[in-house]
Amino acid sequence: MGSIASYQAAAGRRYRARWRDDNTNRQVEKRGFRTKRDAEIFLARTEVARSDGSYIDPAAARATVGDLGSEWMRNKRHSLKASSYSSLETSWRVYVRPRWEDTRIGDIRASQVEQWIRELSEGTAATNRTKSSAVVGKPRSATVVYRALGVLAGILDTAVRDGRIPRNVARGAQNLPTKRSEKPRRYLTHAEVVRLAEAASTSTYRTLLLVLAYCGLRWSEAIGMHVRDINFDKQRIQVNRAAVEVEGRIVIGAPKNWERRIVPFPDFLEIPLQQMCNGKGPDDLVFTDVDGNHLRRAKTSVGTTSWFAAALERSGVERLTPHDLRHTAASLAISSGANVKAVQRMLGHKSAAMTLDTYADLFEDDLADVASRMNQGGLDADVTRLWSFQGV
């Protein structure tokens, strides 16, 4: 059993509760109670927690977010791809650490977390940004807020598992910003794809655009493709790796979702792909810059002068990004009659459900086609005779 004792503080008489930790066998105390009854209630709750296994050592809750966060980030670096870790590290460094680094995990309250969410959304939260986008009062996007909260919540999840705190107050926040729906996707037609490729300045760019638009590869998968990845006999591309640009450098890793896959390419791409591979060894890159290195992602924002932006301007195609060509590949495949499983395998999605969720607008046309075909089937079977005699 524990004990209660009084002591004299600057603010007057206070009480402390003392008990012995079951794991370390050392004496533990909590001070500052204004009344003996408050101390007795706390000690009683502590005894119950010790008996049912929910006891939390107050000393363990004195660890700061900075102490635990650094280790949490090191663990994430070990388990995540470079591109995913880079986003996480930026969120930790720019948003989470400036606000919570010196805060004890046991002192964090749900109301403080919700205040931080509001301040992030308003642009008034403490940050460590150095770029021009760090304008005071500039609201942060919902994506930024969710990612920052996710980092804090992840750190506190570990603290809960370690028995440092009883629950994670960063979970279940009531004032999360609403994510705005994305603008409607831009799907190119066959004619627009050809027009865009025709406007590209080199054969490398022209072939790359066609591969993106007809095979559904991500940019990182296309620029990371090696000659040995193309099977010309079966007209297949083996997607084995992704070359992701992270903070100005190319990092080679597995494809997104760790999904290596085989993707078919249409007959008309055989000749241009052969030309890209001529004179190269099996481990050479298919698409390279003039120095034989990985291509860098083409900028498409207004005012840029990249080869991709120039091709868009010359072709008269509405401004889009290279990733939009992946959406175009899905659209062209679905309109050609491909089922959802085929599109899923081509794009490397984790499940057909993910493909349906992502391209629900495209499959709505399929539903209309299904209804039309079923209507015709019923008419062919003379279904209308079932009610042609009604009223006779």
Side-chain angles (χ1 to χ4, degrees), residues 101-124:
E101 181 174 23
D102 298 325
T103 305
R104 295 178 178 181
I105 57 174
D107 293 340
I108 301 175
R109 299 293 177 261
S111 59
Q112 295 175 316
V113 175
E114 294 188 347
Q115 178 184 348
W116 180 54
I117 290 171
R118 189 197 73 236
E119 291 171 350
L120 284 172
S121 300
E122 295 172 345
T124 59

mmCIF file with all atom_site columns, all heavy atoms in Angstrom, residues 101-124:
data_model
loop_
_atom_site.group_PDB
_atom_site.id
_atom_site.type_symbol
_atom_site.label_atom_id
_atom_site.label_alt_id
_atom_site.label_comp_id
_atom_site.label_asym_id
_atom_site.label_entity_id
_atom_site.label_seq_id
_atom_site.pdbx_PDB_ins_code
_atom_site.Cartn_x
_atom_site.Cartn_y
_atom_site.Cartn_z
_atom_site.occupancy
_atom_site.B_iso_or_equiv
_atom_site.pdbx_formal_charge
_atom_site.auth_seq_id
_atom_site.auth_comp_id
_atom_site.auth_asym_id
_atom_site.auth_atom_id
_atom_site.pdbx_PDB_model_num
ATOM 1   N N   . GLU A 1 101 ? 8.609   19.425 -29.464 1.00 0.00 ? 101 GLU A N   1
ATOM 2   C CA  . GLU A 1 101 ? 9.888   18.792 -29.113 1.00 0.00 ? 101 GLU A CA  1
ATOM 3   C C   . GLU A 1 101 ? 10.135  18.734 -27.607 1.00 0.00 ? 101 GLU A C   1
ATOM 4   O O   . GLU A 1 101 ? 10.564  17.713 -27.065 1.00 0.00 ? 101 GLU A O   1
ATOM 5   C CB  . GLU A 1 101 ? 11.038  19.530 -29.800 1.00 0.00 ? 101 GLU A CB  1
ATOM 6   C CG  . GLU A 1 101 ? 12.400  18.916 -29.506 1.00 0.00 ? 101 GLU A CG  1
ATOM 7   C CD  . GLU A 1 101 ? 13.517  19.565 -30.297 1.00 0.00 ? 101 GLU A CD  1
ATOM 8   O OE1 . GLU A 1 101 ? 13.344  20.727 -30.730 1.00 0.00 ? 101 GLU A OE1 1
ATOM 9   O OE2 . GLU A 1 101 ? 14.557  18.909 -30.482 1.00 0.00 ? 101 GLU A OE2 1
ATOM 10  N N   . ASP A 1 102 ? 9.895   19.827 -26.899 1.00 0.00 ? 102 ASP A N   1
ATOM 11  C CA  . ASP A 1 102 ? 10.206  19.893 -25.463 1.00 0.00 ? 102 ASP A CA  1
ATOM 12  C C   . ASP A 1 102 ? 9.029   19.541 -24.570 1.00 0.00 ? 102 ASP A C   1
ATOM 13  O O   . ASP A 1 102 ? 9.121   19.655 -23.339 1.00 0.00 ? 102 ASP A O   1
ATOM 14  C CB  . ASP A 1 102 ? 10.702  21.292 -25.106 1.00 0.00 ? 102 ASP A CB  1
ATOM 15  C CG  . ASP A 1 102 ? 11.987  21.656 -25.837 1.00 0.00 ? 102 ASP A CG  1
ATOM 16  O OD1 . ASP A 1 102 ? 12.805  20.738 -26.051 1.00 0.00 ? 102 ASP A OD1 1
ATOM 17  O OD2 . ASP A 1 102 ? 12.169  22.837 -26.184 1.00 0.00 ? 102 ASP A OD2 1
ATOM 18  N N   . THR A 1 103 ? 7.925   19.093 -25.165 1.00 0.00 ? 103 THR A N   1
ATOM 19  C CA  . THR A 1 103 ? 6.718   18.768 -24.388 1.00 0.00 ? 103 THR A CA  1
ATOM 20  C C   . THR A 1 103 ? 6.771   17.331 -23.899 1.00 0.00 ? 103 THR A C   1
ATOM 21  O O   . THR A 1 103 ? 7.045   16.406 -24.664 1.00 0.00 ? 103 THR A O   1
ATOM 22  C CB  . THR A 1 103 ? 5.457   18.960 -25.246 1.00 0.00 ? 103 THR A CB  1
ATOM 23  O OG1 . THR A 1 103 ? 5.439   20.278 -25.782 1.00 0.00 ? 103 THR A OG1 1
ATOM 24  C CG2 . THR A 1 103 ? 4.210   18.727 -24.417 1.00 0.00 ? 103 THR A CG2 1
ATOM 25  N N   . ARG A 1 104 ? 6.522   17.138 -22.604 1.00 0.00 ? 104 ARG A N   1
ATOM 26  C CA  . ARG A 1 104 ? 6.443   15.787 -22.069 1.00 0.00 ? 104 ARG A CA  1
ATOM 27  C C   . ARG A 1 104 ? 5.205   15.088 -22.610 1.00 0.00 ? 104 ARG A C   1
ATOM 28  O O   . ARG A 1 104 ? 4.122   15.672 -22.663 1.00 0.00 ? 104 ARG A O   1
ATOM 29  C CB  . ARG A 1 104 ? 6.381   15.829 -20.542 1.00 0.00 ? 104 ARG A CB  1
ATOM 30  C CG  . ARG A 1 104 ? 7.636   16.372 -19.875 1.00 0.00 ? 104 ARG A CG  1
ATOM 31  C CD  . ARG A 1 104 ? 7.443   16.425 -18.372 1.00 0.00 ? 104 ARG A CD  1
ATOM 32  N NE  . ARG A 1 104 ? 8.640   16.888 -17.696 1.00 0.00 ? 104 ARG A NE  1
ATOM 33  C CZ  . ARG A 1 104 ? 8.753   17.019 -16.369 1.00 0.00 ? 104 ARG A CZ  1
ATOM 34  N NH1 . ARG A 1 104 ? 7.699   16.736 -15.597 1.00 0.00 ? 104 ARG A NH1 1
ATOM 35  N NH2 . ARG A 1 104 ? 9.881   17.433 -15.818 1.00 0.00 ? 104 ARG A NH2 1
ATOM 36  N N   . ILE A 1 105 ? 5.356   13.835 -22.976 1.00 0.00 ? 105 ILE A N   1
ATOM 37  C CA  . ILE A 1 105 ? 4.235   13.116 -23.593 1.00 0.00 ? 105 ILE A CA  1
ATOM 38  C C   . ILE A 1 105 ? 3.064   12.994 -22.628 1.00 0.00 ? 105 ILE A C   1
ATOM 39  O O   . ILE A 1 105 ? 1.903   12.975 -23.043 1.00 0.00 ? 105 ILE A O   1
ATOM 40  C CB  . ILE A 1 105 ? 4.663   11.725 -24.097 1.00 0.00 ? 105 ILE A CB  1
ATOM 41  C CG1 . ILE A 1 105 ? 5.255   10.894 -22.953 1.00 0.00 ? 105 ILE A CG1 1
ATOM 42  C CG2 . ILE A 1 105 ? 5.653   11.862 -25.242 1.00 0.00 ? 105 ILE A CG2 1
ATOM 43  C CD1 . ILE A 1 105 ? 5.572   9.459  -23.353 1.00 0.00 ? 105 ILE A CD1 1
ATOM 44  N N   . GLY A 1 106 ? 3.358   12.924 -21.325 1.00 0.00 ? 106 GLY A N   1
ATOM 45  C CA  . GLY A 1 106 ? 2.280   12.814 -20.346 1.00 0.00 ? 106 GLY A CA  1
ATOM 46  C C   . GLY A 1 106 ? 1.547   14.111 -20.113 1.00 0.00 ? 106 GLY A C   1
ATOM 47  O O   . GLY A 1 106 ? 0.469   14.116 -19.487 1.00 0.00 ? 106 GLY A O   1
ATOM 48  N N   . ASP A 1 107 ? 2.106   15.219 -20.617 1.00 0.00 ? 107 ASP A N   1
ATOM 49  C CA  . ASP A 1 107 ? 1.478   16.528 -20.417 1.00 0.00 ? 107 ASP A CA  1
ATOM 50  C C   . ASP A 1 107 ? 0.604   16.957 -21.596 1.00 0.00 ? 107 ASP A C   1
ATOM 51  O O   . ASP A 1 107 ? -0.075  17.989 -21.526 1.00 0.00 ? 107 ASP A O   1
ATOM 52  C CB  . ASP A 1 107 ? 2.555   17.599 -20.186 1.00 0.00 ? 107 ASP A CB  1
ATOM 53  C CG  . ASP A 1 107 ? 3.303   17.400 -18.878 1.00 0.00 ? 107 ASP A CG  1
ATOM 54  O OD1 . ASP A 1 107 ? 2.764   16.695 -17.999 1.00 0.00 ? 107 ASP A OD1 1
ATOM 55  O OD2 . ASP A 1 107 ? 4.423   17.927 -18.742 1.00 0.00 ? 107 ASP A OD2 1
ATOM 56  N N   . ILE A 1 108 ? 0.641   16.204 -22.687 1.00 0.00 ? 108 ILE A N   1
ATOM 57  C CA  . ILE A 1 108 ? -0.112  16.595 -23.883 1.00 0.00 ? 108 ILE A CA  1
ATOM 58  C C   . ILE A 1 108 ? -1.593  16.335 -23.666 1.00 0.00 ? 108 ILE A C   1
ATOM 59  O O   . ILE A 1 108 ? -1.999  15.239 -23.245 1.00 0.00 ? 108 ILE A O   1
ATOM 60  C CB  . ILE A 1 108 ? 0.384   15.824 -25.124 1.00 0.00 ? 108 ILE A CB  1
ATOM 61  C CG1 . ILE A 1 108 ? 1.868   16.102 -25.369 1.00 0.00 ? 108 ILE A CG1 1
ATOM 62  C CG2 . ILE A 1 108 ? -0.431  16.210 -26.359 1.00 0.00 ? 108 ILE A CG2 1
ATOM 63  C CD1 . ILE A 1 108 ? 2.461   15.291 -26.503 1.00 0.00 ? 108 ILE A CD1 1
ATOM 64  N N   . ARG A 1 109 ? -2.399  17.313 -23.952 1.00 0.00 ? 109 ARG A N   1
ATOM 65  C CA  . ARG A 1 109 ? -3.848  17.203 -23.807 1.00 0.00 ? 109 ARG A CA  1
ATOM 66  C C   . ARG A 1 109 ? -4.501  17.244 -25.189 1.00 0.00 ? 109 ARG A C   1
ATOM 67  O O   . ARG A 1 109 ? -3.997  17.874 -26.115 1.00 0.00 ? 109 ARG A O   1
ATOM 68  C CB  . ARG A 1 109 ? -4.392  18.338 -22.943 1.00 0.00 ? 109 ARG A CB  1
ATOM 69  C CG  . ARG A 1 109 ? -3.823  18.342 -21.530 1.00 0.00 ? 109 ARG A CG  1
ATOM 70  C CD  . ARG A 1 109 ? -4.309  17.115 -20.755 1.00 0.00 ? 109 ARG A CD  1
ATOM 71  N NE  . ARG A 1 109 ? -3.736  17.049 -19.420 1.00 0.00 ? 109 ARG A NE  1
ATOM 72  C CZ  . ARG A 1 109 ? -2.684  16.288 -19.094 1.00 0.00 ? 109 ARG A CZ  1
ATOM 73  N NH1 . ARG A 1 109 ? -2.111  15.538 -20.034 1.00 0.00 ? 109 ARG A NH1 1
ATOM 74  N NH2 . ARG A 1 109 ? -2.221  16.269 -17.860 1.00 0.00 ? 109 ARG A NH2 1
ATOM 75  N N   . ALA A 1 110 ? -5.667  16.600 -25.277 1.00 0.00 ? 110 ALA A N   1
ATOM 76  C CA  . ALA A 1 110 ? -6.392  16.574 -26.551 1.00 0.00 ? 110 ALA A CA  1
ATOM 77  C C   . ALA A 1 110 ? -6.714  17.987 -27.020 1.00 0.00 ? 110 ALA A C   1
ATOM 78  O O   . ALA A 1 110 ? -6.665  18.289 -28.223 1.00 0.00 ? 110 ALA A O   1
ATOM 79  C CB  . ALA A 1 110 ? -7.669  15.754 -26.406 1.00 0.00 ? 110 ALA A CB  1
ATOM 80  N N   . SER A 1 111 ? -7.038  18.857 -26.079 1.00 0.00 ? 111 SER A N   1
ATOM 81  C CA  . SER A 1 111 ? -7.364  20.239 -26.449 1.00 0.00 ? 111 SER A CA  1
ATOM 82  C C   . SER A 1 111 ? -6.164  20.955 -27.056 1.00 0.00 ? 111 SER A C   1
ATOM 83  O O   . SER A 1 111 ? -6.315  21.780 -27.962 1.00 0.00 ? 111 SER A O   1
ATOM 84  C CB  . SER A 1 111 ? -7.855  21.004 -25.218 1.00 0.00 ? 111 SER A CB  1
ATOM 85  O OG  . SER A 1 111 ? -6.870  21.012 -24.199 1.00 0.00 ? 111 SER A OG  1
ATOM 86  N N   . GLN A 1 112 ? -4.955  20.635 -26.587 1.00 0.00 ? 112 GLN A N   1
ATOM 87  C CA  . GLN A 1 112 ? -3.749  21.238 -27.152 1.00 0.00 ? 112 GLN A CA  1
ATOM 88  C C   . GLN A 1 112 ? -3.512  20.756 -28.579 1.00 0.00 ? 112 GLN A C   1
ATOM 89  O O   . GLN A 1 112 ? -3.097  21.532 -29.442 1.00 0.00 ? 112 GLN A O   1
ATOM 90  C CB  . GLN A 1 112 ? -2.540  20.902 -26.280 1.00 0.00 ? 112 GLN A CB  1
ATOM 91  C CG  . GLN A 1 112 ? -2.583  21.497 -24.886 1.00 0.00 ? 112 GLN A CG  1
ATOM 92  C CD  . GLN A 1 112 ? -1.432  21.028 -24.026 1.00 0.00 ? 112 GLN A CD  1
ATOM 93  O OE1 . GLN A 1 112 ? -1.096  19.840 -24.016 1.00 0.00 ? 112 GLN A OE1 1
ATOM 94  N NE2 . GLN A 1 112 ? -0.815  21.959 -23.296 1.00 0.00 ? 112 GLN A NE2 1
ATOM 95  N N   . VAL A 1 113 ? -3.771  19.482 -28.798 1.00 0.00 ? 113 VAL A N   1
ATOM 96  C CA  . VAL A 1 113 ? -3.613  18.928 -30.153 1.00 0.00 ? 113 VAL A CA  1
ATOM 97  C C   . VAL A 1 113 ? -4.592  19.597 -31.113 1.00 0.00 ? 113 VAL A C   1
ATOM 98  O O   . VAL A 1 113 ? -4.239  19.978 -32.235 1.00 0.00 ? 113 VAL A O   1
ATOM 99  C CB  . VAL A 1 113 ? -3.814  17.402 -30.147 1.00 0.00 ? 113 VAL A CB  1
ATOM 100 C CG1 . VAL A 1 113 ? -3.770  16.852 -31.580 1.00 0.00 ? 113 VAL A CG1 1
ATOM 101 C CG2 . VAL A 1 113 ? -2.750  16.731 -29.290 1.00 0.00 ? 113 VAL A CG2 1
ATOM 102 N N   . GLU A 1 114 ? -5.820  19.765 -30.670 1.00 0.00 ? 114 GLU A N   1
ATOM 103 C CA  . GLU A 1 114 ? -6.825  20.392 -31.529 1.00 0.00 ? 114 GLU A CA  1
ATOM 104 C C   . GLU A 1 114 ? -6.504  21.866 -31.769 1.00 0.00 ? 114 GLU A C   1
ATOM 105 O O   . GLU A 1 114 ? -6.777  22.396 -32.851 1.00 0.00 ? 114 GLU A O   1
ATOM 106 C CB  . GLU A 1 114 ? -8.211  20.213 -30.919 1.00 0.00 ? 114 GLU A CB  1
ATOM 107 C CG  . GLU A 1 114 ? -8.647  18.747 -30.897 1.00 0.00 ? 114 GLU A CG  1
ATOM 108 C CD  . GLU A 1 114 ? -10.088 18.552 -30.481 1.00 0.00 ? 114 GLU A CD  1
ATOM 109 O OE1 . GLU A 1 114 ? -10.692 19.525 -29.975 1.00 0.00 ? 114 GLU A OE1 1
ATOM 110 O OE2 . GLU A 1 114 ? -10.613 17.431 -30.672 1.00 0.00 ? 114 GLU A OE2 1
ATOM 111 N N   . GLN A 1 115 ? -5.932  22.530 -30.782 1.00 0.00 ? 115 GLN A N   1
ATOM 112 C CA  . GLN A 1 115 ? -5.492  23.916 -30.991 1.00 0.00 ? 115 GLN A CA  1
ATOM 113 C C   . GLN A 1 115 ? -4.390  23.973 -32.043 1.00 0.00 ? 115 GLN A C   1
ATOM 114 O O   . GLN A 1 115 ? -4.387  24.856 -32.904 1.00 0.00 ? 115 GLN A O   1
ATOM 115 C CB  . GLN A 1 115 ? -4.976  24.508 -29.676 1.00 0.00 ? 115 GLN A CB  1
ATOM 116 C CG  . GLN A 1 115 ? -4.442  25.934 -29.819 1.00 0.00 ? 115 GLN A CG  1
ATOM 117 C CD  . GLN A 1 115 ? -3.849  26.464 -28.533 1.00 0.00 ? 115 GLN A CD  1
ATOM 118 O OE1 . GLN A 1 115 ? -4.023  25.875 -27.478 1.00 0.00 ? 115 GLN A OE1 1
ATOM 119 N NE2 . GLN A 1 115 ? -3.139  27.571 -28.614 1.00 0.00 ? 115 GLN A NE2 1
ATOM 120 N N   . TRP A 1 116 ? -3.473  23.026 -31.976 1.00 0.00 ? 116 TRP A N   1
ATOM 121 C CA  . TRP A 1 116 ? -2.376  22.950 -32.959 1.00 0.00 ? 116 TRP A CA  1
ATOM 122 C C   . TRP A 1 116 ? -2.915  22.698 -34.360 1.00 0.00 ? 116 TRP A C   1
ATOM 123 O O   . TRP A 1 116 ? -2.460  23.308 -35.332 1.00 0.00 ? 116 TRP A O   1
ATOM 124 C CB  . TRP A 1 116 ? -1.417  21.847 -32.532 1.00 0.00 ? 116 TRP A CB  1
ATOM 125 C CG  . TRP A 1 116 ? -0.242  21.631 -33.429 1.00 0.00 ? 116 TRP A CG  1
ATOM 126 C CD1 . TRP A 1 116 ? 0.676   22.564 -33.849 1.00 0.00 ? 116 TRP A CD1 1
ATOM 127 C CD2 . TRP A 1 116 ? 0.159   20.388 -34.016 1.00 0.00 ? 116 TRP A CD2 1
ATOM 128 N NE1 . TRP A 1 116 ? 1.627   21.971 -34.650 1.00 0.00 ? 116 TRP A NE1 1
ATOM 129 C CE2 . TRP A 1 116 ? 1.332   20.630 -34.763 1.00 0.00 ? 116 TRP A CE2 1
ATOM 130 C CE3 . TRP A 1 116 ? -0.348  19.096 -33.966 1.00 0.00 ? 116 TRP A CE3 1
ATOM 131 C CZ2 . TRP A 1 116 ? 1.995   19.632 -35.464 1.00 0.00 ? 116 TRP A CZ2 1
ATOM 132 C CZ3 . TRP A 1 116 ? 0.316   18.098 -34.661 1.00 0.00 ? 116 TRP A CZ3 1
ATOM 133 C CH2 . TRP A 1 116 ? 1.471   18.361 -35.395 1.00 0.00 ? 116 TRP A CH2 1
ATOM 134 N N   . ILE A 1 117 ? -3.908  21.829 -34.472 1.00 0.00 ? 117 ILE A N   1
ATOM 135 C CA  . ILE A 1 117 ? -4.525  21.564 -35.777 1.00 0.00 ? 117 ILE A CA  1
ATOM 136 C C   . ILE A 1 117 ? -5.120  22.855 -36.339 1.00 0.00 ? 117 ILE A C   1
ATOM 137 O O   . ILE A 1 117 ? -4.947  23.166 -37.519 1.00 0.00 ? 117 ILE A O   1
ATOM 138 C CB  . ILE A 1 117 ? -5.615  20.474 -35.635 1.00 0.00 ? 117 ILE A CB  1
ATOM 139 C CG1 . ILE A 1 117 ? -4.970  19.116 -35.336 1.00 0.00 ? 117 ILE A CG1 1
ATOM 140 C CG2 . ILE A 1 117 ? -6.461  20.388 -36.903 1.00 0.00 ? 117 ILE A CG2 1
ATOM 141 C CD1 . ILE A 1 117 ? -5.972  18.038 -34.971 1.00 0.00 ? 117 ILE A CD1 1
ATOM 142 N N   . ARG A 1 118 ? -5.809  23.605 -35.474 1.00 0.00 ? 118 ARG A N   1
ATOM 143 C CA  . ARG A 1 118 ? -6.398  24.861 -35.919 1.00 0.00 ? 118 ARG A CA  1
ATOM 144 C C   . ARG A 1 118 ? -5.324  25.847 -36.367 1.00 0.00 ? 118 ARG A C   1
ATOM 145 O O   . ARG A 1 118 ? -5.452  26.502 -37.400 1.00 0.00 ? 118 ARG A O   1
ATOM 146 C CB  . ARG A 1 118 ? -7.229  25.473 -34.791 1.00 0.00 ? 118 ARG A CB  1
ATOM 147 C CG  . ARG A 1 118 ? -8.063  26.685 -35.232 1.00 0.00 ? 118 ARG A CG  1
ATOM 148 C CD  . ARG A 1 118 ? -8.553  27.514 -34.068 1.00 0.00 ? 118 ARG A CD  1
ATOM 149 N NE  . ARG A 1 118 ? -7.471  28.281 -33.465 1.00 0.00 ? 118 ARG A NE  1
ATOM 150 C CZ  . ARG A 1 118 ? -7.140  28.220 -32.186 1.00 0.00 ? 118 ARG A CZ  1
ATOM 151 N NH1 . ARG A 1 118 ? -7.765  27.387 -31.361 1.00 0.00 ? 118 ARG A NH1 1
ATOM 152 N NH2 . ARG A 1 118 ? -6.163  28.961 -31.705 1.00 0.00 ? 118 ARG A NH2 1
ATOM 153 N N   . GLU A 1 119 ? -4.238  25.920 -35.607 1.00 0.00 ? 119 GLU A N   1
ATOM 154 C CA  . GLU A 1 119 ? -3.168  26.857 -35.946 1.00 0.00 ? 119 GLU A CA  1
ATOM 155 C C   . GLU A 1 119 ? -2.469  26.469 -37.246 1.00 0.00 ? 119 GLU A C   1
ATOM 156 O O   . GLU A 1 119 ? -2.097  27.337 -38.047 1.00 0.00 ? 119 GLU A O   1
ATOM 157 C CB  . GLU A 1 119 ? -2.161  26.925 -34.789 1.00 0.00 ? 119 GLU A CB  1
ATOM 158 C CG  . GLU A 1 119 ? -2.727  27.597 -33.545 1.00 0.00 ? 119 GLU A CG  1
ATOM 159 C CD  . GLU A 1 119 ? -1.805  27.476 -32.341 1.00 0.00 ? 119 GLU A CD  1
ATOM 160 O OE1 . GLU A 1 119 ? -0.824  26.701 -32.427 1.00 0.00 ? 119 GLU A OE1 1
ATOM 161 O OE2 . GLU A 1 119 ? -2.062  28.139 -31.322 1.00 0.00 ? 119 GLU A OE2 1
ATOM 162 N N   . LEU A 1 120 ? -2.292  25.172 -37.456 1.00 0.00 ? 120 LEU A N   1
ATOM 163 C CA  . LEU A 1 120 ? -1.727  24.728 -38.738 1.00 0.00 ? 120 LEU A CA  1
ATOM 164 C C   . LEU A 1 120 ? -2.641  25.132 -39.891 1.00 0.00 ? 120 LEU A C   1
ATOM 165 O O   . LEU A 1 120 ? -2.181  25.628 -40.927 1.00 0.00 ? 120 LEU A O   1
ATOM 166 C CB  . LEU A 1 120 ? -1.529  23.211 -38.736 1.00 0.00 ? 120 LEU A CB  1
ATOM 167 C CG  . LEU A 1 120 ? -0.346  22.648 -37.955 1.00 0.00 ? 120 LEU A CG  1
ATOM 168 C CD1 . LEU A 1 120 ? -0.426  21.128 -37.903 1.00 0.00 ? 120 LEU A CD1 1
ATOM 169 C CD2 . LEU A 1 120 ? 0.982   23.077 -38.589 1.00 0.00 ? 120 LEU A CD2 1
ATOM 170 N N   . SER A 1 121 ? -3.920  24.900 -39.711 1.00 0.00 ? 121 SER A N   1
ATOM 171 C CA  . SER A 1 121 ? -4.883  25.228 -40.769 1.00 0.00 ? 121 SER A CA  1
ATOM 172 C C   . SER A 1 121 ? -4.927  26.723 -41.048 1.00 0.00 ? 121 SER A C   1
ATOM 173 O O   . SER A 1 121 ? -5.120  27.145 -42.191 1.00 0.00 ? 121 SER A O   1
ATOM 174 C CB  . SER A 1 121 ? -6.279  24.729 -40.372 1.00 0.00 ? 121 SER A CB  1
ATOM 175 O OG  . SER A 1 121 ? -6.289  23.332 -40.168 1.00 0.00 ? 121 SER A OG  1
ATOM 176 N N   . GLU A 1 122 ? -4.725  27.526 -40.006 1.00 0.00 ? 122 GLU A N   1
ATOM 177 C CA  . GLU A 1 122 ? -4.738  28.982 -40.167 1.00 0.00 ? 122 GLU A CA  1
ATOM 178 C C   . GLU A 1 122 ? -3.406  29.535 -40.644 1.00 0.00 ? 122 GLU A C   1
ATOM 179 O O   . GLU A 1 122 ? -3.335  30.675 -41.126 1.00 0.00 ? 122 GLU A O   1
ATOM 180 C CB  . GLU A 1 122 ? -5.099  29.635 -38.832 1.00 0.00 ? 122 GLU A CB  1
ATOM 181 C CG  . GLU A 1 122 ? -6.506  29.332 -38.344 1.00 0.00 ? 122 GLU A CG  1
ATOM 182 C CD  . GLU A 1 122 ? -6.748  29.840 -36.937 1.00 0.00 ? 122 GLU A CD  1
ATOM 183 O OE1 . GLU A 1 122 ? -5.757  30.168 -36.242 1.00 0.00 ? 122 GLU A OE1 1
ATOM 184 O OE2 . GLU A 1 122 ? -7.925  29.908 -36.526 1.00 0.00 ? 122 GLU A OE2 1
ATOM 185 N N   . GLY A 1 123 ? -2.339  28.751 -40.464 1.00 0.00 ? 123 GLY A N   1
ATOM 186 C CA  . GLY A 1 123 ? -1.012  29.227 -40.827 1.00 0.00 ? 123 GLY A CA  1
ATOM 187 C C   . GLY A 1 123 ? -0.312  29.963 -39.699 1.00 0.00 ? 123 GLY A C   1
ATOM 188 O O   . GLY A 1 123 ? 0.701   30.634 -39.932 1.00 0.00 ? 123 GLY A O   1
ATOM 189 N N   . THR A 1 124 ? -0.806  29.847 -38.459 1.00 0.00 ? 124 THR A N   1
ATOM 190 C CA  . THR A 1 124 ? -0.216  30.560 -37.330 1.00 0.00 ? 124 THR A CA  1
ATOM 191 C C   . THR A 1 124 ? 0.615   29.655 -36.422 1.00 0.00 ? 124 THR A C   1
ATOM 192 O O   . THR A 1 124 ? 1.169   30.131 -35.421 1.00 0.00 ? 124 THR A O   1
ATOM 193 C CB  . THR A 1 124 ? -1.313  31.230 -36.486 1.00 0.00 ? 124 THR A CB  1
ATOM 194 O OG1 . THR A 1 124 ? -2.224  30.211 -36.009 1.00 0.00 ? 124 THR A OG1 1
ATOM 195 C CG2 . THR A 1 124 ? -2.077  32.253 -37.306 1.00 0.00 ? 124 THR A CG2 1
#
